Amino acid sequence: MLINSQQLAEIEELGLWGLSSYEFVNIVDLPQIKKKGWGRFRGVVTVIDVGARGVKVWLGEHVYVWIKHSNRPYFTDMDDYLQQYVEIRGWPRKWGQYWSIQARHPSQIIVLPN
């Protein structure tokens, strides 16, 4: 019931979902606008890069979602995200020439209809 109410509020932009700080940002625009603080970002997953410490879910050349190996059990198979249009919710951070958003829970990555 609560999740349904939240989804309806998001769709109809009610309450905090109507605030400008809750508007979507196209993920490819993140390096140019240098958004600070929590945000909602949309983009297409282009590459899944599994490393020794975690997974980088790339959304273009300069932005990735970071999932530590300790959090991977909460997520679906990483390949399920490949080539999917997704919404990422989180706090972007600049790491060298790249931007990353850490995802600790699958509710931060929402697969959207194409």
Side-chain angles (χ1 to χ4, degrees):
M1 179 86 168
L2 180 61
I3 291 175
N4 291 341
S5 296
Q6 176 182 329
Q7 290 171 339
L8 179 62
E10 287 179 50
I11 291 167
E12 297 195 10
E13 298 180 349
L14 301 173
L16 62 88
W17 299 105
L19 300 174
S20 63
S21 58
Y22 278 67
E23 291 178 2
F24 295 109
V25 173
N26 189 325
I27 201 74
V28 298
D29 296 333
L30 181 58
Q32 289 79 31
I33 63 171
K34 300 176 178 154
K35 180 169 175 48
K36 302 285 185 191
W38 186 90
R40 299 166 71 193
F41 307 91
R42 287 186 173 180
V44 175
V45 176
T46 57
V47 175
I48 306 289
D49 184 16
V50 179
R53 295 179 36 219
V55 179
K56 291 180 179 177
V57 178
W58 288 92
L59 298 119
E61 296 179 21
H62 301 286
V63 182
Y64 63 88
V65 176
W66 172 247
I67 302 170
K68 292 181 3 181
H69 278 309
S70 60
N71 293 326
R72 276 194 69 194
Y74 306 121
F75 291 83
T76 183
D77 182 5
M78 292 292 115
D79 288 335
D80 290 347
Y81 294 116
L82 196 56
Q83 299 304 316
Q84 295 293 319
Y85 183 53
V86 296
E87 175 184 331
I88 307 300
R89 295 177 178 186
W91 294 262
R93 294 186 63 187
K94 182 98 162 85
W95 292 99
Q97 65 183 15
Y98 302 110
W99 283 83
S100 92
I101 301 170
Q102 185 172 352
R104 294 181 175 96
H105 190 271
S107 64
Q108 290 179 259
I109 304 175
I110 301 164
V111 177
L112 302 170
N114 289 332

